[in-house]
Amino acid sequence: MPKAYWIAHVTVTDPEPYKLYAAGATEAFRAHGARVLARGGRIEALEGETHPRNVVIEFDSMEAALACYNSDAYQAAKRHREGAGIANIMILEGAPG
């Protein structure tokens, strides 16, 4: 079964509620066996629109990533992010091994 990657591109507009989102989301990721591969490091924007904060999180499967996103814990955290930033989030299934 291919791994899946949660990819987020974010511009934070209100840091205080966003901190609450980050704390809650981290707990949801941990509960679903996620591994953070990249978060907030240096970027080189080569083409297209970009955001200053970029995150890549690995899950064991697309089902695990979607279960995390749809979990009560993540949805509760997400409410803190709404209105606190601009986010583009996707889950991408990895290539078969």
Side-chain angles (χ1 to χ4, degrees):
M1 180 178 303
K3 299 212 183 263
Y5 301 90
W6 178 309
I7 301 170
H9 307 287
V10 181
T11 299
V12 176
T13 58
D14 191 348
E16 291 309 311
Y18 194 86
K19 286 179 189 175
L20 297 172
Y21 160 74
T26 297
E27 289 303 314
F29 297 145
R30 186 175 295 122
H32 287 84
R35 292 165 296 287
V36 175
L37 301 180
R39 178 174 37 208
R42 180 180 153 198
I43 66 164
E44 286 290 327
L46 302 175
E47 295 185 31
E49 295 181 32
T50 187
H51 293 271
R53 184 165 180 78
N54 298 278
V55 180
V56 179
I57 302 169
E58 183 181 67
F59 288 83
D60 288 336
S61 66
M62 178 66 87
E63 292 74 22
L66 289 169
C68 180
Y69 183 83
N70 292 313
S71 70
D72 291 342
Y74 183 78
Q75 291 300 310
K78 181 182 164 201
R79 285 192 279 281
H80 295 291
R81 180 175 48 81
E82 294 169 345
I86 301 161
N88 298 315
I89 298 173
M90 70 179 77
I91 297 173
L92 170 68
E93 188 171 58

